[in-house]
Amino acid sequence: MIRLFDILLAFLGLGFGIPIFLVLTILLFFDTRRPFLLQTRLGRGGNKFTLIKFRTMLPDTEDIATHLVSPAAVTYFGRFLRRSKLDELPQLWNVLVGDMSLVGPRPGLPNQIELTEAREALGVFNVRPGITGLAQICGIDMSTPRLLAQIDARMIAEMSIYNYFKYITLTFAGRGAGDRIK
Protein backbone atom coordinates (compact mmCIF):
# COMPACT_ATOMS: atom_id res chain seq x y z
CA MET A 1 0.00 0.00 0.00
CA ILE A 2 2.84 2.41 0.84
CA ARG A 3 4.42 1.80 -2.58
CA LEU A 4 1.14 2.84 -4.19
CA PHE A 5 1.15 6.08 -2.18
CA ASP A 6 4.81 6.61 -3.15
CA ILE A 7 4.03 6.33 -6.85
CA LEU A 8 0.92 8.51 -6.67
CA LEU A 9 2.50 11.26 -4.56
CA ALA A 10 5.78 11.27 -6.53
CA PHE A 11 3.87 11.50 -9.80
CA LEU A 12 1.74 14.36 -8.47
CA GLY A 13 4.78 16.10 -6.97
CA LEU A 14 6.72 15.89 -10.21
CA GLY A 15 3.72 16.99 -12.25
CA PHE A 16 2.80 19.99 -10.13
CA GLY A 17 6.43 20.76 -9.34
CA ILE A 18 7.57 21.17 -12.97
CA PRO A 19 7.48 25.01 -12.90
CA ILE A 20 9.46 25.10 -9.64
CA PHE A 21 11.80 22.43 -10.99
CA LEU A 22 12.53 24.47 -14.14
CA VAL A 23 13.09 27.74 -12.26
CA LEU A 24 15.43 26.08 -9.75
CA THR A 25 17.35 24.34 -12.54
CA ILE A 26 17.94 27.67 -14.30
CA LEU A 27 18.95 29.44 -11.08
CA LEU A 28 21.29 26.60 -10.15
CA PHE A 29 22.87 26.68 -13.59
CA PHE A 30 23.92 30.27 -12.88
CA ASP A 31 24.93 29.37 -9.31
CA THR A 32 27.12 26.30 -9.95
CA ARG A 33 26.91 25.61 -13.72
CA ARG A 34 25.86 22.06 -12.76
CA PRO A 35 22.36 22.13 -11.22
CA PHE A 36 22.13 18.43 -10.38
CA LEU A 37 24.08 16.19 -8.05
CA LEU A 38 24.17 12.56 -9.10
CA GLN A 39 25.56 10.47 -6.29
CA THR A 40 25.94 6.76 -5.61
CA ARG A 41 24.02 5.74 -2.49
CA LEU A 42 23.10 2.48 -0.78
CA GLY A 43 19.50 1.39 -1.14
CA ARG A 44 17.34 -1.61 -0.40
CA GLY A 45 19.39 -4.75 0.14
CA GLY A 46 22.53 -2.60 0.34
CA ASN A 47 22.43 -2.26 -3.45
CA LYS A 48 23.87 0.86 -5.04
CA PHE A 49 21.71 3.32 -6.95
CA THR A 50 22.13 6.84 -8.31
CA LEU A 51 20.43 9.48 -6.18
CA ILE A 52 19.55 12.77 -7.85
CA LYS A 53 19.33 16.07 -5.96
CA PHE A 54 19.66 19.73 -6.71
CA ARG A 55 23.26 20.74 -6.14
CA THR A 56 23.76 22.81 -2.99
CA MET A 57 27.56 22.68 -2.81
CA LEU A 58 30.36 23.76 -5.09
CA PRO A 59 30.85 21.24 -7.95
CA ASP A 60 34.34 20.18 -6.83
CA THR A 61 33.25 19.30 -3.26
CA GLU A 62 34.49 15.90 -2.07
CA ASP A 63 31.94 13.05 -2.16
CA ILE A 64 31.61 12.55 1.61
CA ALA A 65 28.84 12.85 4.18
CA THR A 66 27.44 16.38 4.44
CA HIS A 67 28.38 16.79 8.11
CA LEU A 68 32.06 16.29 7.14
CA VAL A 69 32.05 18.97 4.43
CA SER A 70 33.16 22.53 5.17
CA PRO A 71 30.20 24.92 5.47
CA ALA A 72 32.06 27.14 2.99
CA ALA A 73 31.38 24.52 0.30
CA VAL A 74 27.64 25.23 0.46
CA THR A 75 26.61 27.99 -1.91
CA TYR A 76 24.43 30.91 -0.83
CA PHE A 77 21.55 29.60 -2.95
CA GLY A 78 22.31 26.08 -1.70
CA ARG A 79 21.65 27.19 1.88
CA PHE A 80 18.20 28.39 0.81
CA LEU A 81 17.51 25.11 -0.98
CA ARG A 82 18.51 23.10 2.09
CA ARG A 83 16.42 25.19 4.50
CA SER A 84 13.38 24.94 2.23
CA LYS A 85 14.07 21.25 1.47
CA LEU A 86 13.70 22.04 -2.25
CA ASP A 87 17.05 20.36 -2.91
CA GLU A 88 15.22 17.05 -2.39
CA LEU A 89 12.65 17.65 -5.17
CA PRO A 90 14.49 15.65 -7.88
CA GLN A 91 14.45 12.59 -5.60
CA LEU A 92 10.78 12.22 -6.49
CA TRP A 93 12.15 10.61 -9.65
CA ASN A 94 14.06 8.09 -7.49
CA VAL A 95 10.77 7.36 -5.71
CA LEU A 96 8.84 6.99 -8.95
CA VAL A 97 11.31 4.47 -10.42
CA GLY A 98 11.44 2.45 -7.18
CA ASP A 99 14.91 3.25 -5.84
CA MET A 100 13.42 5.11 -2.89
CA SER A 101 10.27 5.72 -0.88
CA LEU A 102 8.99 9.06 0.34
CA VAL A 103 9.49 7.77 3.90
CA GLY A 104 12.38 5.58 4.97
CA PRO A 105 15.96 5.72 6.21
CA ARG A 106 18.05 8.32 4.35
CA PRO A 107 20.36 6.48 1.95
CA GLY A 108 24.00 6.56 2.99
CA LEU A 109 27.14 6.73 0.91
CA PRO A 110 29.11 3.52 0.24
CA ASN A 111 32.09 5.02 2.10
CA GLN A 112 30.11 5.42 5.35
CA ILE A 113 31.33 2.09 6.72
CA GLU A 114 30.22 2.52 10.35
CA LEU A 115 26.69 3.51 9.29
CA THR A 116 26.49 0.67 6.77
CA GLU A 117 27.58 -1.92 9.35
CA ALA A 118 25.14 -0.61 11.98
CA ARG A 119 22.28 -0.64 9.48
CA GLU A 120 23.13 -4.15 8.29
CA ALA A 121 23.11 -5.41 11.90
CA LEU A 122 19.64 -3.92 12.49
CA GLY A 123 18.04 -4.94 9.17
CA VAL A 124 17.62 -1.36 7.94
CA PHE A 125 18.53 -2.38 4.38
CA ASN A 126 15.38 -4.53 4.22
CA VAL A 127 13.37 -1.48 3.12
CA ARG A 128 13.69 1.22 0.50
CA PRO A 129 15.51 4.33 1.67
CA GLY A 130 13.44 7.49 1.90
CA ILE A 131 13.48 11.21 1.36
CA THR A 132 12.34 11.76 4.94
CA GLY A 133 11.78 9.72 8.04
CA LEU A 134 11.86 9.66 11.82
CA ALA A 135 15.56 10.54 12.04
CA GLN A 136 15.12 13.61 9.84
CA ILE A 137 12.18 15.02 11.78
CA CYS A 138 14.09 14.39 15.02
CA GLY A 139 17.19 16.18 13.76
CA ILE A 140 19.45 13.11 13.80
CA ASP A 141 21.99 13.13 11.00
CA MET A 142 24.71 10.81 9.77
CA SER A 143 27.26 12.19 12.23
CA THR A 144 25.94 9.70 14.80
CA PRO A 145 25.79 6.49 12.74
CA ARG A 146 24.82 4.01 15.48
CA LEU A 147 22.05 6.24 16.83
CA LEU A 148 20.85 6.90 13.29
CA ALA A 149 20.68 3.15 12.56
CA GLN A 150 18.74 2.58 15.81
CA ILE A 151 16.22 5.31 14.98
CA ASP A 152 15.88 3.94 11.43
CA ALA A 153 15.19 0.45 12.83
CA ARG A 154 12.62 1.90 15.24
CA MET A 155 10.89 3.73 12.38
CA ILE A 156 10.78 0.55 10.29
CA ALA A 157 9.32 -1.46 13.18
CA GLU A 158 6.64 1.19 13.80
CA MET A 159 5.85 1.94 10.13
CA SER A 160 2.18 2.26 9.29
CA ILE A 161 0.10 4.31 6.86
CA TYR A 162 -0.55 6.73 9.73
CA ASN A 163 3.18 7.16 10.48
CA TYR A 164 3.99 7.44 6.76
CA PHE A 165 1.72 10.47 6.41
CA LYS A 166 2.73 11.81 9.84
CA TYR A 167 6.42 11.93 8.81
CA ILE A 168 5.58 13.59 5.50
CA THR A 169 3.36 16.16 7.24
CA LEU A 170 5.98 16.91 9.91
CA THR A 171 8.62 17.34 7.19
CA PHE A 172 6.44 19.84 5.31
CA ALA A 173 5.74 21.62 8.61
CA GLY A 174 9.46 22.28 8.94
CA ARG A 175 10.49 19.71 11.52
CA GLY A 176 14.16 18.85 11.26
CA ALA A 177 17.54 19.89 12.59
CA GLY A 178 17.37 20.82 16.24
CA ASP A 179 14.17 18.92 17.00
CA ARG A 180 14.43 16.03 19.42
CA ILE A 181 12.76 12.65 19.63
CA LYS A 182 9.35 12.73 21.27
Side-chain angles (χ1 to χ4, degrees), residues 53 89 104 111 117-118 122 132 159:
K53 291 180 72 164
L89 188 61
N111 62 6
E117 289 173 352
L122 296 172
T132 193
M159 185 53 67

Side-chain angles (χ1 to χ4, degrees), residues 27-168:
L27 291 172
L28 279 164
F29 179 78
F30 289 109
D31 189 40
T32 64
R33 296 284 184 240
R34 294 188 354 213
F36 297 102
L37 171 70
L38 302 175
Q39 195 174 54
T40 300
R41 298 286 184 108
L42 297 179
R44 189 177 197 173
N47 296 318
K48 294 177 181 178
F49 73 97
T50 301
L51 177 127
I52 182 170
K53 291 180 72 164
F54 280 126
R55 184 176 296 281
T56 60
M57 293 187 251
L58 299 170
D60 60 348
T61 303
E62 191 176 356
D63 205 16
I64 56 176
T66 303
H67 67 277
L68 299 174
V69 176
S70 166
V74 180
T75 69
Y76 179 78
F77 189 56
R79 280 190 275 286
F80 162 74
L81 290 176
R82 286 179 173 201
R83 277 193 312 271
S84 64
K85 298 179 179 65
L86 289 171
D87 62 321
E88 311 286 352
L89 188 61
Q91 288 175 67
L92 292 174
W93 178 255
N94 289 111
V95 173
L96 198 59
V97 300
D99 293 329
M100 295 178 69
S101 175
L102 290 175
V103 177
R106 285 297 295 158
L109 294 162
N111 62 6
Q112 292 178 288
I113 305 303
E114 188 178 356
L115 177 61
T116 300
E117 289 173 352
R119 283 180 163 175
E120 283 175 344
L122 296 172
V124 173
F125 287 118
N126 293 336
V127 300
R128 284 183 180 89
I131 295 175
T132 193
L134 180 59
Q136 286 67 44
I137 63 170
C138 293
I140 299 168
D141 64 20
M142 295 188 180
S143 65
T144 55
R146 293 192 195 294
L147 175 61
L148 178 57
Q150 291 168 351
I151 296 301
D152 289 341
R154 173 178 154 192
M155 175 187 62
I156 292 165
E158 297 173 355
M159 185 53 67
S160 64
I161 298 293
Y162 173 80
N163 282 341
Y164 174 88
F165 284 104
K166 176 179 149 183
Y167 298 147
I168 292 170

